[in-house]
Amino acid sequence: MAWDFSTEPEFQEQLDWMRGFVRDEIWPLETIADELSQEQLDRVYAPLQEEVKRRGLWAAHLSPELGGQGFGQLKLGMMHEILGTSAYAPNAFGNAAPDSGNSEILALAGTDEQKERWLYPLLAGDLKSAFSMTEPEVAGSDPTTLRTTAVRDGNDYVINGHKWFSTNGSIADFLIVMAVTDPDARPHQRASMIIVPADTPGVNIVRDIGTMEHPIEGSFGKLGNHAEIRYEDVHVPADSLLGDEGSGFLIAQHRLGPGRIHHCMRWLGVSSRAFDMLCERSLYREARGTPLAEKQTIQNWIADSAAQMHAARLMTLHAAWKMDAEGASAARREISLIKFYGATVMHDVVDRALQIHGALGYSTDLPLEAMYRYARAARFYDGPDEVHRETVARQILRGYQAPPDDIPTEHVPTRREAARRRFADILEAVTAND
Ligand SMILES: Cc1cc2nc3c(=O)[nH]c(=O)nc-3n(C[C@H](O)[C@H](O)[C@H](O)COP(=O)(O)OP(=O)(O)OC[C@H]3O[C@@H](n4cnc5c(N)ncnc54)[C@H](O)[C@@H]3O)c2cc1C
């Protein structure tokens, strides 16, 4: 029977190395990153990225022929749990979102020329990219309503539209834009993905949006910012199209499945860091004569957090395993389950860790308030909780049907009547013996 929770010793060694590397080399960067320009940050990253490449861990999400390690989702998941402990870690490993997802799109749907021009430099860390789909005017959770258009004009597409929350849009060298190419097609065949170099005339980066995660608007052009962009008569050659016209949704599905697993594992990295802070604080902070660790409420927080994190971890790794074994479509339900569950677990654990630190937790003297703000966004991006719950519930309900005559299957009087009929002989014998 194939059912195994062990990790290969060689890969465990890599994981152990990553854990030490991220803690010793990346965590310190967090405390000064705001003082550095993007250019200075790039200089700090360069030797770290070289070290990761030397260890054979660079861009591990891609197959070996594309310069990656071909890890598969299960190994990648374990790796992301470690990288998730710091927002600055994935960039050192060549698999930061959105570049990692965009490189998957290019690998999947790009032509040889597109790979040459965009994918290989992206993988080498020489280019940055953004994924530009969400629009302020329509529901991002229902992308069939997108309004941005790409109209064929001779050998060009002409793009017009308004996007926002394009992560890294203001530092990207190119954007993958989701635009409607055939408004009359069936809803899921209307849109296409098109590569747009960021310096194309008409690509107007309006601003980097201030958010809960980065509340101070004005820090324009930094890694992790989210850009508002107007595409105004943007001309790109027709060979900028990715895949077939109308295949935007199909490609998006391939991109989003693995991306969600990576997010969920990164969230566990955040949770475990917050959990360590929760446990540490409980041991030395005293109130009413005893350490907080001896209060039952705090013990409940610790136990509940451990249970939730363990459940989320197993669920996520199971989804990754299923995706490796059976493909992204087969793992759809599992991916939706962990997307909303994982986001809640991260929120709950960070919230408890913040609460136990009192005012200190709320202050910027600890990373908890930043983690809390970060955790809130997880309930929206890559699909709001409600949409994933809907997907799960719909799939589950396909395995059920309404009972005949609207009588519940488990209705006891109905079942009793049936049982009496079935066991009539025995019941009669018992009555006769009375
Ligand atoms: C930090 C961050 C990074 C992002 N990065 C990118 C990026 O790089 N590129 C990009 O294109 N986009 C990005 N986004 C945008 C993200 O994908 C959208 O926010 C998300 O798809 C939701 O779309 P919306 O904001 O338009 O909300 P809406 O679709 O308007 O949904 C709002 C709310 O409506 C409710 N709702 C929606 N559908 C249902 C339903 N079926 N049932 C019940 N309730 C429902 C939910 O409560 C939901 O939260 C990012 C967002 C964040 C926060």
Side-chain angles (χ1 to χ4, degrees), residues 131-134 138-141 165-167 226 377 380-381 384 386-387 390:
F131 184 69
S132 201
M133 179 160 93
T134 307
V138 292
S141 49
F165 275 88
S166 301
T167 303
H226 312 291
F380 303 115
Y381 58 71
E386 293 81 357
V387 174
E390 200 174 46

Side-chain angles (χ1 to χ4, degrees), residues 233-285:
D233 284 332
V234 176
H235 282 251
V236 289
D239 62 9
S240 309
L241 181 73
L242 276 159
D244 295 329
E245 220 179 66
S247 66
F249 284 97
L250 198 64
I251 303 173
Q253 275 316 316
H254 282 284
R255 175 189 189 270
L256 289 171
R260 285 173 180 146
I261 289 180
H262 307 164
H263 276 317
C264 291
M265 288 305 282
R266 286 192 205 109
W267 299 341
L268 280 165
V270 175
S271 308
S272 68
R273 209 169 154 185
F275 182 73
D276 288 346
M277 285 188 260
L278 165 66
C279 294
E280 183 187 75
R281 174 74 162 186
S282 74
L283 293 175
Y284 68 86
R285 189 68 160 188

Side-chain angles (χ1 to χ4, degrees), residues 38-324:
Q38 186 57 44
E39 198 241 325
Q40 288 170 316
L41 255 181
D42 289 342
R43 285 219 309 269
V44 175
Y45 271 122
L48 302 177
Q49 291 170 333
E50 281 313 311
E51 180 64 20
V52 168
K53 283 177 189 169
R54 262 198 301 280
R55 296 282 310 193
L57 292 167
W58 180 258
H61 54 294
L62 287 173
S63 55
E65 61 285 5
L66 294 171
Q69 308 304 315
F71 271 11
Q73 300 308 323
L74 193 56
K75 282 183 168 173
L76 270 180
M78 289 189 242
M79 179 176 182
H80 277 292
E81 184 177 19
I82 296 167
L83 305 192
T85 59
S86 175
Y88 294 92
N91 196 47
F93 283 75
N95 59 17
D99 288 343
S100 53
N102 289 341
S103 60
E104 272 163 6
I105 291 180
L106 286 161
L108 183 83
T111 60
D112 288 346
E113 290 74 31
Q114 287 168 337
K115 285 179 185 161
E116 204 62 49
R117 182 163 176 206
W118 304 112
L119 175 61
Y120 303 132
L122 185 66
L123 289 178
D126 297 335
L127 293 182
K128 290 247 165 293
S129 67
F131 184 69
S132 201
M133 179 160 93
T134 307
E135 303 177 359
E137 291 84 8
V138 292
S141 49
D142 179 9
T144 61
T145 60
L146 289 178
R147 290 186 187 164
T148 297
T149 54
V151 178
R152 232 3 234 272
D153 177 21
N155 283 335
D156 287 354
Y157 278 109
V158 185
I159 302 174
N160 277 287
H162 184 197
K163 302 282 186 183
W164 79 338
F165 275 88
S166 301
T167 303
N168 287 352
S170 60
I171 57 164
D173 298 285
F174 70 97
L175 306 115
I176 295 181
V177 179
M178 184 90 152
V180 175
T181 38
D182 182 359
D184 300 322
R186 291 218 300 252
H188 287 95
Q189 286 159 6
R190 279 178 202 154
S192 305
M193 287 191 193
I194 298 176
I195 303 171
V196 178
D199 58 4
T200 312
V203 176
N204 297 321
I205 314 280
V206 180
R207 61 174 175 148
D208 275 342
I209 304 155
T211 63
M212 262 178 92
E213 194 184 347
H214 301 291
I216 300 160
E217 196 166 339
S219 74
F220 185 81
K222 282 198 88 173
L223 193 71
N225 280 3
H226 312 291
E228 178 179 350
I229 307 174
R230 284 192 185 275
Y231 295 89
E232 291 164 322
D233 284 332
V234 176
H235 282 251
V236 289
D239 62 9
S240 309
L241 181 73
L242 276 159
D244 295 329
E245 220 179 66
S247 66
F249 284 97
L250 198 64
I251 303 173
Q253 275 316 316
H254 282 284
R255 175 189 189 270
L256 289 171
R260 285 173 180 146
I261 289 180
H262 307 164
H263 276 317
C264 291
M265 288 305 282
R266 286 192 205 109
W267 299 341
L268 280 165
V270 175
S271 308
S272 68
R273 209 169 154 185
F275 182 73
D276 288 346
M277 285 188 260
L278 165 66
C279 294
E280 183 187 75
R281 174 74 162 186
S282 74
L283 293 175
Y284 68 86
R285 189 68 160 188
E286 292 201 357
R288 293 180 189 260
T290 57
L292 293 177
E294 289 176 26
K295 318 282 183 201
Q296 196 172 28
T297 296
I298 306 300
Q299 292 167 348
N300 287 345
W301 287 354
I302 292 169
D304 288 349
S305 299
Q308 280 179 287
M309 282 159 49
H310 194 52
R313 188 166 194 273
L314 290 178
M315 284 165 73
T316 312
L317 292 177
H318 176 252
W321 171 83
K322 190 155 183 185
M323 191 179 270
D324 281 343

